[in-house]
């Protein structure tokens, strides 16, 4: 049973560039959430996708955008990168929209460094 | 602004002791509560979920929820060095969908 897979695992960008991160959810899961985790902090919610639509969004600027495909995989795009965007980006999958949606299965993350 | 508060620690306990990790939350409408474990350099892993007041036990782990006090805790019995990690408390409520808000985590060190 494949878990959540993310790519790439590490990447280095310079300020102003754009980045795309990819995620495949756990088999059978239909909901994908993206989180940003800075060093020493808890994960911060970016947005959630369900049925190919953005269902909720956290307090992140429009530079952060995403997409969910018919096979439930997802992409996170960040434009005009800033130094402060350096973080671990976590993709998490879950099933449905019930109270147990908080039972998240995380991928290993994509560590982004912006120089 | 919904907040989840945890003492960042580190909490240091000897091997075999009980480790007690605490979390408070600000939103009285919160409905679902979770504990995640995150080893250094790794991603979070769900270890416990609790949805109603009281205790829930799973092996060496016990989650305790008190909605009146807006307090959730995690007890780890017979702590092992392999339990050394950061423990993240997460709380969710229904705002169109259930989105967990995470605390900053408590670092636990279990020393031999």
């Amino acid at each position: 049973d494949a878990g959540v897979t993310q790519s790439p695992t590490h990447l280095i960008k310079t300020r102003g560039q754009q980045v795309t991160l990819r995620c495949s959810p756990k088999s059978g899961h239909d909901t994908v959430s993206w989180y940003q985790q800075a060093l020493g902090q808890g994960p911060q919610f970016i947005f959630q996708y369900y049925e190919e639509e953005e269902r909720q969004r956290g307090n992140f600027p429009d530079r952060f955008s995403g997409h969910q495909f018919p096979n439930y995989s997802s992409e996170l795009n960040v434009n005009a990168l800033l130094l402060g965007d350096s973080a671990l980006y976590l993709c998490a999958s879950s099933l449905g929209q019930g109270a147990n949606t908080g039972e998240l299965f995380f991928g290993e993350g994509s560590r982004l460094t912006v120089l | 602004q919904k907040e989840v508060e945890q003492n960042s620690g580190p909490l240091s306990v000897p091997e075999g002791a009980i480790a007690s990790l605490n979390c408070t939350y600000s939103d009285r409408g919160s409905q679902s509560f979770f504990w995640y474990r995150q080893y250094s350099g790794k991603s979070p892993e769900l270890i416990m979920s609790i949805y109603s007041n009281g205790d829930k036990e799973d092996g060496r782990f016990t989650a305790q929820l008190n909605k009146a006090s807006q307090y959730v805790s995690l007890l780890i019995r017979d702590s092992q060095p392999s339990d050394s990690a950061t423990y993240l408390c997460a709380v969710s409520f229904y705002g169109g969908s259930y989105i967990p808000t995470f605390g900053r985590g408590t670092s636990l060190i279990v020393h031999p």
Side-chain angles (χ1 to χ4, degrees):
Chain A
D1 180 22
V4 180
T5 59
Q6 291 187 244
S7 64
T9 55
H10 295 81
L11 66 167
I12 299 174
K13 294 286 187 178
T14 57
R15 282 176 296 174
Q17 285 190 311
Q18 177 264 346
V19 66
T20 297
L21 308 179
R22 296 177 175 84
C23 172
S24 292
K26 178 179 169 64
S27 178
H29 283 185
D30 56 7
T31 301
V32 173
S33 302
W34 287 92
Y35 285 82
Q36 180 194 66
Q37 187 176 27
L39 200 61
Q41 302 297 317
Q44 297 296 308
F45 173 69
I46 302 175
F47 40 56
Q48 182 190 79
Y49 279 86
Y50 174 68
E51 294 186 339
E52 302 180 51
E53 291 188 359
E54 183 182 292
R55 296 300 295 264
Q56 274 204 53
R57 187 180 184 90
N59 189 25
F60 279 81
D62 292 345
R63 299 186 296 109
F64 290 77
S65 63
H67 189 77
Q68 185 179 36
F69 299 94
N71 66 352
Y72 307 121
S73 66
S74 177
E75 288 182 350
L76 164 65
N77 300 291
V78 187
N79 294 322
L81 285 167
L82 303 174
L83 295 179
D85 295 332
S86 295
L88 180 66
Y89 288 85
L90 294 163
C91 172
S93 74
S94 54
L95 180 61
Q97 293 286 288
N100 61 353
T101 306
E103 295 183 1
L104 301 173
F105 290 79
F106 284 92
E108 287 303 312
S110 295
R111 183 163 298 281
L112 171 65
T113 301
V114 182
L115 301 177
Chain B
Q1 180 78 8
K2 296 169 176 56
E3 296 184 348
V4 178
E5 298 289 339
Q6 295 182 258
N7 188 321
S8 60
L11 173 65
S12 181
V13 300
E15 183 174 357
I18 296 175
S20 178
L21 303 160
N22 305 314
C23 171
T24 59
Y25 58 94
S26 63
D27 184 7
R28 285 195 172 273
S30 298
Q31 296 170 286
S32 308
F33 307 85
F34 310 91
W35 284 98
Y36 287 80
R37 177 177 61 200
Q38 186 172 26
Y39 291 114
S40 180
K42 300 295 186 180
S43 60
E45 172 192 18
L46 178 68
I47 54 173
M48 291 287 286
S49 56
I50 186 166
Y51 298 94
S52 56
N53 276 331
D55 295 359
K56 178 181 178 182
E57 185 175 321
D58 184 0
R60 295 186 297 111
F61 298 98
T62 299
Q64 299 175 316
L65 175 61
N66 183 326
K67 289 187 177 180
S69 300
Q70 296 176 237
Y71 177 92
V72 58
S73 64
L74 179 70
L75 301 178
I76 306 175
R77 291 181 299 280
D78 189 23
S79 295
Q80 301 297 309
S82 59
D83 294 325
S84 298
T86 295
Y87 289 80
L88 298 162
C89 173
V91 176
S92 68
F93 72 106
Y94 187 75
S97 62
Y98 292 92
I99 303 296
T101 298
F102 284 82
R104 64 181 300 173
T106 297
S107 174
L108 173 66
I109 298 172
V110 181
H111 53 86

